[in-house]
């Protein structure tokens, strides 16, 4: 979507005053849509309580180098420029897996881009608010950004692994060999049993 419009949110049972909540989603900014927010940036995703307390606000800033845009997070404020920015520019027409979290106990908002594990590179900003009972995840269409963005595969959870499950384990060449040998053994065993099966026909007594 693009431009200012309807905000949407996904509601769930409220988290506690010291809980950490996580969310992930796929993000694409199509080319031909300039990133033109002011120095505060434009946030488009955040956690929220039952009122208007928005936490871990995440959004875009103008590119710092030769890329197309930058992602940033602020623990409690809409001023992304004073929050924590991803250290490298991102590119249009590229799908990024974005993970964000907010720690209600400390007020820390954290951002990962294309992580595979919680320990991967991230940036964090501690806001001035703590203890909010988060009960929804929201997307916002702001009037200070006229470009388009696409989000998909939104997941909210209690842990990092909830929102970014580990990738499936792919068997090694040797493991595939064992799997094939096991299948051949089962097939061969079934054929042997089939050959050994004997049909017993009841005998009829002659008079």
């Amino acid at each position: 979507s693009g431009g200012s419009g309807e905000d949407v949110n996904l509601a769930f049972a409220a988290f506690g005053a010291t809980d950490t909540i996580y969310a992930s989603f796929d993000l694409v900014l199509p080319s031909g849509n300039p990133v033109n927010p002011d120095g505060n940036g434009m946030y488009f995703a955040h956690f929220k309580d039952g009122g208007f307390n928005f936490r871990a606000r995440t959004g875009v800033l103008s590119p710092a180098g030769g890329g197309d845009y930058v992602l940033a997070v602020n623990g409690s404020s809409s001023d992304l420029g004073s929050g924590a920015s991803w250290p490298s520019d991102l590119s249009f027409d590229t799908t990024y897996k974005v993970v964000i979290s907010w720690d209600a106990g400390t007020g820390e908002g954290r951002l990962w881009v294309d992580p595979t594990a919680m320990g991967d590179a991230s940036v964090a900003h501690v806001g001035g608010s703590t203890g909010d009972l988060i009960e929804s995840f929201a997307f916002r269409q702001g009037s200070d950004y006229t470009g388009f963005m696409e989000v998909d595969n939104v997941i909210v959870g209690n842990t990092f692994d909830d929102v970014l499950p580990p990738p499936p384990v792919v068997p090694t060449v040797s493991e595939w060999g064992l799997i094939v040998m096991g299948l051949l053994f089962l097939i061969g065993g079934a054929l042997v049993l089939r050959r050994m099966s004997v049909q017993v026909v009841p005998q009829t007594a002659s008079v």
Side-chain angles (χ1 to χ4, degrees):
S1 61
S4 181
E6 181 181 5
D7 298 342
V8 295
N9 65 83
L10 172 67
F12 39 78
F15 279 62
T18 59
D19 289 342
T20 301
I21 184 171
Y22 297 81
S24 69
F25 53 89
D26 294 336
L27 173 68
V28 178
L29 265 64
S31 57
N33 296 278
V35 176
N36 57 351
D38 56 26
N40 293 334
M42 191 284 296
Y43 73 92
F44 63 87
H46 59 84
F47 301 104
K48 68 184 294 291
D49 64 4
F52 295 96
N53 293 314
F54 301 162
R55 302 296 175 243
R57 302 191 209 205
T58 303
V60 296
L61 290 167
S62 295
D68 296 316
Y69 66 98
V70 172
L71 284 178
V73 63
N74 189 301
S76 59
S77 169
S78 62
D79 184 2
L80 298 181
S82 66
S85 300
W86 193 249
S88 58
D89 290 350
L90 304 182
S91 301
F92 290 142
D93 301 320
T94 302
T95 300
Y96 296 99
K97 176 65 72 176
V98 179
V99 179
I100 63 174
S101 68
W102 188 66
D103 186 333
T106 65
E108 179 194 82
R110 186 171 290 272
L111 165 69
W112 293 260
V113 177
D114 284 342
T116 58
M118 187 175 179
D120 288 351
S122 63
V123 295
H125 175 263
V126 178
S129 300
T130 59
D132 296 310
L133 306 181
I134 299 301
E135 60 180 48
S136 64
F137 181 68
F139 287 108
R140 165 184 178 265
Q141 293 178 287
S143 59
D144 52 354
Y145 174 76
T146 59
F148 285 79
M149 59 181 60
E150 301 170 1
V151 294
D152 198 4
N153 299 320
V154 181
I155 304 175
V156 179
N158 298 282
T159 68
F160 185 92
D161 287 343
D162 284 343
V163 302
L164 192 72
V169 177
V170 178
T172 63
V173 173
S174 59
E175 289 171 336
W176 273 119
L178 292 174
I179 292 171
V180 172
M181 289 177 62
L183 290 173
L184 291 175
F185 177 79
L186 291 174
I187 294 171
L191 291 174
V192 170
L193 289 175
R194 185 176 180 182
R195 292 193 190 100
M196 291 177 62
S197 65
V198 177
Q199 183 179 8
V200 178
V201 179
Q203 294 183 354
T204 303
S206 59
V207 178

